[in-house]
């Protein structure tokens, strides 16, 4: 095990490096930082940078920790169900990205589109879902990083949870979305390099046969050596449903569509989704399945990846894993910070608090929100640890809370017959029904409602499935029986650049002075 000092040094090095890189890039940039640049990166990001950013943003700490955990618990089916179950959403999002770029090319958030497409109550409800998604994802990022630091360095888990957000909050506050894209590119390259090192060490040091024989000796070997594993299948279904919510209702993915060039938006999600598949599949196989096959004594499956890395290469393996983990933590953390900032600034501050805010005021508020949210998430993660809620629980429960908005939101963007009433009640009743079934299953099947019984596969599965079925049935059903038809062409002139509004304000002031 590394010393806790190593953990502090890694946090310091990462924070200083990316903050310094952002400051240097700011000074060398020819375009001044404005509110529009901060939130959309100028809408000029190409395919390569956008694809790398999507890979990095979708590579959470959970991608490394939870994927390995599924391999350790479910055997060879775990890597596939994790990677495939979380890949399809990004690929399908390419279709949604095209529709957003066509119908609202100057939108800053998907909620800004919702506010023009639907009524105010839908806008507020979807904002609640979006904020909940960002909070859950950021909490998972911090939880995963803190667990890894604690496992490998002995660093106090509460201190780690508080300090981790600082590593990505400062440079995001300075550079905005563009800084996030650049960091994502570097992080993606490093993740693939370290991943290749672990894969090569497992293959050449132990070989396939020793891992296979080890899996055969496990009492549950019939489940570990087949793709027909029932627990693995249950996890796969939970994974698919839950991750629709954390892509389609997460502003950070809409943000990448908004920031991309028109020609790059859809292709970036396809390329990024396919490339991303390799990360959890390889991690889960070489660190999770191999750990089970080699008989490592691991108490917490969520910590199987860092402990296997240490087993493979000692202190070097631990450092490499921590570097890879923090690449993931910083990318996702920065993406979520910019997402929550855009929502609060665009859909709350400029919508209700100060609709006539200038570009400079908007930029100032954006930076304040980024800093506040980053620090607040550290405190929330400490609270989750205190409650005994871990990474695996949060990961599998997220779909119950956020996936109710997926179908209403998607048909609202793509289908002219989607209705205000159907989408509103579909989203809210879908979530409430899912939570109810989740609680009832834990109570009836396992005898009590607790963190332990709510975290069981059956409880999670029935809750997640209920959310999708109920929300879809209500939203689509009401659209089919209603005569409402929405004219998407009416939205063409309803979205404006922050910079454009500031220029218009300056022109107005000049005319008033002239008079």
């Amino acid at each position: 095990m590394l010393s806790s000092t190593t953990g502090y040094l890694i946090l310091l090095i990462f924070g200083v490096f990316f903050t310094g890189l952002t400051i240097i890039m700011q000074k060398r940039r020819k375009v001044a930082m404005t509110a529009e640049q901060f939130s959309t990166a100028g809408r000029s990001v190409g395919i390569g940078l956008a694809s790398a950013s999507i890979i990095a943003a979708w590579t959470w700490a959970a991608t490394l920790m939870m994927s390995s955990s599924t391999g350790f618990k479910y055997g060879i089916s775990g890597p596939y169900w994790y990677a495939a179950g979380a890949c399809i959403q990004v690929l399908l999002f390419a279709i949604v990205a095209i529709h957003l770029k066509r119908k609202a090319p100057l939108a800053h958030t998907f909620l800004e589109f919702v506010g023009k497409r639907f009524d105010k109550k839908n806008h507020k409800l979807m904002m609640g879902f979006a904020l909940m998604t960002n909070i859950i994802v950021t909490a998972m990022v911090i939880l995963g990083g803190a667990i890894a630091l604690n496992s490998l360095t002995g660093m106090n888990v509460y201190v780690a949870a508080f300090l981790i957000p600082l590593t990505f909050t400062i440079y995001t506050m300075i550079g905005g979305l563009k800084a996030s894209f650049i960091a994502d590119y570097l992080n993606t390259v490093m993740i693939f390099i370290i991943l290749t090192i672990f894969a090569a060490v497992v293959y050449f040091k132990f070989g396939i046969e020793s891992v296979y024989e080890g899996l055969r000796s496990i009492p549950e070997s019939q489940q570990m050596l087949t793709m027909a594993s029932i627990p693995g299948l249950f996890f796969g279904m939970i994974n698919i449903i839950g991750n629709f919510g954390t892509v389609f209702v997460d502003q950070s993915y809409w943000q990448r569509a908004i920031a991309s060039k028109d020609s790059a938006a859809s292709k970036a999600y396809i390329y990024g989704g396919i490339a991303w598949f390799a990360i959890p599949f390889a991690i889960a196989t070489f660190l999770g399945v191999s750990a089970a096959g080699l008989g490592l004594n691991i108490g917490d499956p969520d910590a199987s990846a860092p402990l296997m890395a240490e087993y493979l290469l000692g202190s070097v393996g631990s450092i490499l894993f921590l570097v890879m983990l923090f690449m993931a933590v910083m990318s996702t953390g920065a993406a979520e910070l910019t997402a929550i900032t855009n929502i609060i600034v665009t859909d709350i501050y400029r919508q209700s608090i100060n609709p006539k805010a200038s570009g400079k005021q908007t930029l100032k508020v954006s930076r304040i929100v980024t800093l506040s949210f980053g620090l607040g998430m550290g405190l929330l993660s400490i609270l989750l640890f205190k409650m005994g809620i871990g990474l695996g629980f949060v990961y599998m429960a997220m779909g119950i809370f956020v996936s109710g908005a997926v179908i209403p939101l998607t048909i609202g963007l793509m289908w002219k017959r989607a209705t205000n009433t159907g989408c509103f009640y579909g989203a809210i009743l879908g979530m409430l029904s899912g939570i109810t079934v989740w609680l009832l299953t834990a109570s009836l099947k396992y005898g009590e409602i607790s963190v332990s019984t709510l975290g069981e596969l059956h409880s999670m599965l029935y809750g997640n499935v209920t959310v999708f079925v109920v929300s879809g049935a209500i939203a689509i059903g009401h659209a089919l029986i209603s005569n409402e038809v929405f004219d998407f062409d009416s939205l063409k002139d309803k979205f404006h650049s922050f910079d454009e509004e500031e220029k218009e304000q300056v022109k107005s002031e000049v005319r008033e002075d002239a008079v």
Side-chain angles (χ1 to χ4, degrees):
M1 182 180 289
L2 301 169
S3 67
S4 58
T5 304
T6 306
Y8 287 108
L9 281 174
I10 289 175
L11 288 173
L12 179 64
I13 290 169
F14 271 88
V16 171
F17 173 77
F18 281 102
T19 300
L21 181 64
T22 301
I23 292 172
I24 292 171
M25 290 185 59
Q26 286 283 86
K27 291 182 177 180
R28 296 184 64 180
R29 284 180 63 173
K30 296 179 180 178
V31 181
M33 177 59 73
T34 63
E36 187 73 12
Q37 283 287 331
F38 189 91
S39 64
T40 69
R43 306 179 195 269
S44 60
V45 178
I47 291 179
L49 200 57
S51 299
S53 183
I54 290 164
I55 294 169
W58 199 214
T59 305
W60 305 348
T63 305
L64 309 180
M65 305 285 283
M66 271 297 295
S67 63
S68 181
S69 177
T70 60
F72 186 80
K73 291 190 291 186
Y74 310 129
I76 63 171
S77 68
Y80 173 78
W81 282 119
Y82 190 99
C87 177
I88 186 173
Q89 299 86 350
V90 179
L91 298 176
L92 290 175
F93 197 83
I95 301 170
V96 180
I98 294 172
H99 280 268
L100 182 69
K101 297 291 281 186
R102 287 176 178 172
K103 294 169 182 173
L106 291 178
H108 299 86
T109 67
F110 77 92
L111 294 167
E112 191 177 13
F113 172 85
V114 169
K116 309 294 184 184
R117 167 66 172 88
F118 293 115
D119 54 17
K120 289 184 178 180
K121 66 179 181 181
N122 265 293
H123 180 252
K124 291 178 180 178
L125 178 64
M126 290 298 173
M127 191 188 307
F129 276 108
L131 293 173
M132 192 189 312
T133 302
N134 290 128
I135 289 170
I136 290 174
V137 172
T138 310
M140 280 195 290
V141 168
I142 298 169
L143 285 170
I147 290 170
L149 274 174
N150 177 258
S151 300
L152 293 175
T153 71
M155 185 177 177
N156 184 283
V157 73
Y158 302 118
V159 175
F162 181 74
L163 292 179
I164 284 171
L166 291 178
T167 60
F168 53 79
T169 296
I170 297 174
Y171 80 80
T172 306
M173 182 180 67
I174 296 171
L177 187 58
K178 192 70 173 182
S180 174
F181 272 92
I182 299 299
D184 288 348
Y185 187 86
L186 296 175
N187 293 346
T188 300
V189 172
M190 284 300 299
I191 286 171
F192 274 104
I193 291 173
I194 295 172
L195 187 58
T196 303
I197 293 172
F198 283 135
V201 171
V202 171
Y203 183 80
F204 290 110
K205 190 172 182 178
F206 299 103
I208 297 173
E209 188 173 346
S210 60
V211 174
Y212 175 75
E213 292 299 330
L215 291 172
R216 285 188 62 186
S217 66
I218 298 174
E220 302 88 4
S221 61
Q222 289 184 340
Q223 294 286 349
M224 300 293 285
L225 288 168
T226 177
M227 290 298 293
S229 167
I230 298 302
L233 176 61
F234 278 12
F235 171 78
M237 295 171 68
I238 294 169
N239 198 34
I240 291 170
I241 295 170
N243 281 310
F244 265 106
T246 50
V247 172
F248 281 66
V249 194
D250 188 337
Q251 167 60 21
S252 67
Y253 297 95
W254 296 90
Q255 211 158 258
R256 275 143 183 77
I258 290 167
S260 300
K261 295 177 181 177
D262 292 345
S263 60
S266 60
K267 293 178 183 177
Y269 287 93
I270 295 173
Y271 297 159
I274 293 172
W276 177 87
F277 181 96
I279 296 175
F281 189 83
I283 281 285
T285 300
F286 289 108
L287 297 186
V289 176
S290 296
L294 295 173
L296 266 66
N297 183 21
I298 295 174
D300 182 5
D302 289 350
S304 58
L307 295 178
M308 181 61 180
E310 183 183 36
Y311 180 76
L312 290 174
L313 293 170
S315 297
V316 174
S318 297
I319 292 173
L320 285 175
F321 183 82
L322 283 176
V323 169
M324 181 168 63
L325 182 84
F326 272 91
M327 291 295 183
V329 166
M330 295 186 76
S331 293
T332 311
E336 296 304 314
L337 276 181
T338 50
I340 195 77
T341 298
N342 277 349
I343 291 173
I344 292 175
V345 170
T346 303
D347 297 282
I348 297 178
Y349 177 69
R350 289 181 65 96
Q351 182 81 16
S352 305
I353 299 174
N354 189 4
K356 296 182 179 180
S358 66
K360 288 183 179 179
Q361 288 175 313
T362 303
L363 179 60
K364 181 180 178 181
V365 172
S366 296
R367 286 175 164 157
I368 292 173
V369 170
T370 300
L371 179 61
S372 302
F373 180 70
L375 296 177
M377 282 310 304
L379 297 175
L380 176 62
S381 299
I382 291 173
L383 179 62
L384 291 175
F385 273 123
K386 286 284 188 182
M387 295 170 61
I389 297 176
L391 183 64
F393 183 94
V394 178
Y395 183 84
M396 291 198 292
M398 62 186 177
I400 297 172
F401 292 98
V402 305
S403 292
V406 173
I407 294 177
L409 175 61
T410 304
I411 65 172
L413 178 65
M414 301 175 65
W415 192 22
K416 63 184 179 181
R417 292 192 59 183
T419 65
N420 281 294
T421 302
C423 289
F424 179 82
Y425 287 106
I428 195 166
L429 292 178
M431 181 186 70
L432 293 176
S433 299
I435 293 173
T436 302
V437 170
W438 183 38
L439 295 172
L440 283 174
T441 304
S443 177
L444 296 175
K445 188 173 179 60
Y446 302 105
E448 65 173 350
I449 297 176
S450 65
V451 172
S452 176
T453 59
L454 289 172
E456 294 287 343
L457 283 173
H458 286 87
S459 303
M460 291 290 189
L461 176 62
Y462 297 154
N464 274 276
V465 171
T466 300
V467 172
F468 245 54
V469 171
V470 173
S471 65
I474 294 174
I476 296 173
H478 192 271
L480 292 173
I481 63 175
S482 173
N483 293 321
E484 291 183 32
V485 176
F486 184 80
D487 181 14
F488 284 108
D489 289 336
S490 65
L491 297 177
K492 283 186 177 179
D493 299 322
K494 291 190 176 182
F495 302 95
H496 304 281
S497 162
F498 290 154
D499 294 345
E500 179 183 328
E501 290 183 359
E502 187 173 29
K503 289 174 184 176
E504 290 298 322
Q505 187 174 349
V506 171
K507 289 180 181 178
S508 176
E509 291 173 356
V510 169
R511 284 194 294 269
E512 289 176 2
D513 291 341
V515 173

